[in-house]
Amino acid sequence: MRVHRVVCPGSFDPVTNGHLDIIRRAARLHDEVVVVVGANRAKHGMFTVDERVAMLEEVTSDLPNVSVGTFRGLLVEYCRAHGVSAIVKGLRAVSDFEYEMEMAQMNYRLAEIETLFMTANPLYSFLRSSRVREIATYGGNVSSLVPAPVEAKLRARLAAPGPG
Ligand code: PNS
């Protein structure tokens, strides 16, 4: 039988509870979910690609059909090379829609890869990684916004800034 494999792509700098909610829900619907960290522009982030992957692996370790990978270049090329049938994205608000629709339509045009949208849990509709980084940088509490291991990594990074 053909395995139905989907990707959850993103920058994940760092993974938030909103991402994790989408990943968990996707894992209930599909045979295999590969969370893929885009490495094209990762040099300018807070965490290196390897650090993002390690955090994702830790927080998804209880999900047997979820794995973590990276990609460079076009996402559709990764999908073609890895037998991925669809891209799964979360939509937080109407403001996400225009950007995501354009990307979905272009990815379909490029390689006939489908994009499946899941509406974000309203608990997390305001949540994005850049906001988490900002709040943590200025000493705010992010414990309800990211998984505990990610909060610990943020604290450590801000106490001793690294190369990422
Ligand atoms: O978490 P983000 O920053 O919204 O993730 C965006 C990402 C990495 C999924 C997106 O920028 C992407 O797919 N980049 C790969 C380059 C690509 O395929 N571009 C064409 C899209 S139509």
Side-chain angles (χ1 to χ4, degrees):
M1 206 184 76
R2 196 165 145 259
V3 174
H4 180 52
R5 179 180 299 132
V6 299
V7 287
C8 286
S11 305
F12 302 106
D13 186 32
V15 57
T16 69
N17 286 341
H19 292 130
L20 197 51
D21 182 63
I22 295 288
I23 294 165
R24 283 185 183 284
R25 287 161 57 199
R28 280 191 227 123
L29 294 173
H30 307 285
D31 296 332
E32 283 182 20
V33 175
V34 189
V35 183
V36 283
V37 179
N40 292 340
R41 288 176 298 141
K43 257 189 274 176
H44 306 292
M46 177 179 266
F47 294 101
T48 66
V49 170
D50 288 348
E51 287 169 333
R52 299 178 204 183
V53 167
M55 284 187 271
L56 280 160
E57 282 176 341
E58 185 171 359
V59 302
T60 59
S61 60
D62 62 319
L63 302 169
N65 61 336
V66 174
S67 58
V68 184
T70 62
F71 74 100
R72 229 173 241 291
L74 292 178
L75 178 59
V76 292
E77 293 303 334
Y78 178 96
C79 293
R80 261 206 277 240
H82 293 83
V84 170
S85 42
I87 298 164
V88 172
K89 298 293 284 282
L91 279 183
R92 284 167 296 206
V94 180
S95 50
D96 280 344
F97 184 75
E98 209 171 330
Y99 172 77
E100 292 295 346
M101 190 176 68
E102 185 192 311
M103 247 194 321
Q105 289 177 333
M106 185 56 85
N107 283 332
Y108 189 82
R109 169 66 66 89
L110 289 171
E112 295 193 3
I113 300 281
E114 298 287 358
T115 300
L116 308 175
F117 290 112
M118 297 180 73
T119 51
N121 183 326
L123 272 177
Y124 306 124
S125 58
F126 54 88
L127 185 51
R128 60 178 71 241
S129 298
S130 58
R131 196 69 71 210
V132 167
R133 295 196 302 271
E134 182 183 23
I135 294 166
T137 299
Y138 297 115
N141 184 348
V142 295
S143 61
S144 65
L145 307 179
V146 294
V150 174
E151 188 192 3
K153 293 280 189 311
L154 274 164
R155 278 185 203 280
R157 175 52 39 91
L158 291 165

